[in-house]
Amino acid sequence: MLLDEAGVDLQSAGLGTRATDLFEGFLPDEPDACVALFDGAGLPPVFALGASAEVARPRVTVWARAATAAAARSKIHAVYDRWRSRGAVDMTKAAGGTTRWLSTFAAHEPFLLKRDERGPEPRVIYACSFDVMKEVSTS
């Protein structure tokens, strides 16, 4: 559900179209320019409000691929600017879920992950990870 919520949020911000150039859980060979979201190693949940509510702390890792370093860097920085330090976001209506993101924080700066040798020219992939604090889903 986290990746679905993340995909809906990025699509609503105009940073891609789900299943076209914004993918959850995998990076397809095509298109050359796209964003992929992956589950990362998050932190254990914490209890808030006198231990009456559990807060999950998952991590989302984002890869932005493009034909040039400048294009990949531009896309990952657009995601970084959206999620690097953001307060509460109600994902319930947007993603059809039952959770609310309490905050997002960048775990690190965007960085060059690798060059993909597919095609006549190497494609470039930049990456960044984000820690999310969200209410535990009741579904």
Side-chain angles (χ1 to χ4, degrees):
M1 184 131 199
L2 175 71
L3 295 184
D4 292 335
E5 294 166 351
V8 167
D9 184 66
L10 293 182
Q11 180 173 283
S12 72
L15 296 176
T17 301
R18 295 175 74 201
T20 300
D21 62 355
L22 176 59
F23 303 95
E24 294 130 17
F26 70 102
L27 179 67
D29 286 339
E30 297 293 331
D32 287 338
C34 62
V35 172
L37 307 171
F38 301 97
D39 288 311
L43 298 169
V46 294
F47 292 91
L49 305 173
S52 65
E54 188 174 342
V55 176
R57 300 186 298 166
R59 179 173 282 183
V60 176
T61 297
V62 181
W63 288 10
R65 181 179 67 201
T68 67
R73 192 170 40 248
S74 176
K75 181 62 83 169
I76 198 70
H77 275 280
V79 176
Y80 179 78
D81 288 343
R82 180 155 183 86
W83 285 351
R84 69 178 166 197
S85 179
R86 187 171 178 206
V89 179
D90 187 353
M91 300 303 282
T92 305
K93 294 177 188 161
T98 59
T99 61
R100 189 168 84 108
W101 289 22
L102 304 173
S103 63
T104 60
F105 298 96
H108 51 79
E109 294 279 327
F111 66 96
L112 175 63
L113 179 65
K114 65 181 181 174
R115 295 187 185 276
D116 174 347
E117 298 300 326
R118 190 181 174 285
E121 297 293 325
R123 299 180 297 186
V124 180
I125 300 175
Y126 272 79
C128 192
S129 295
F130 301 88
D131 293 324
V132 176
M133 291 186 76
K134 68 180 220 164
E135 294 174 344
V136 173
S137 176
T138 57
S139 62

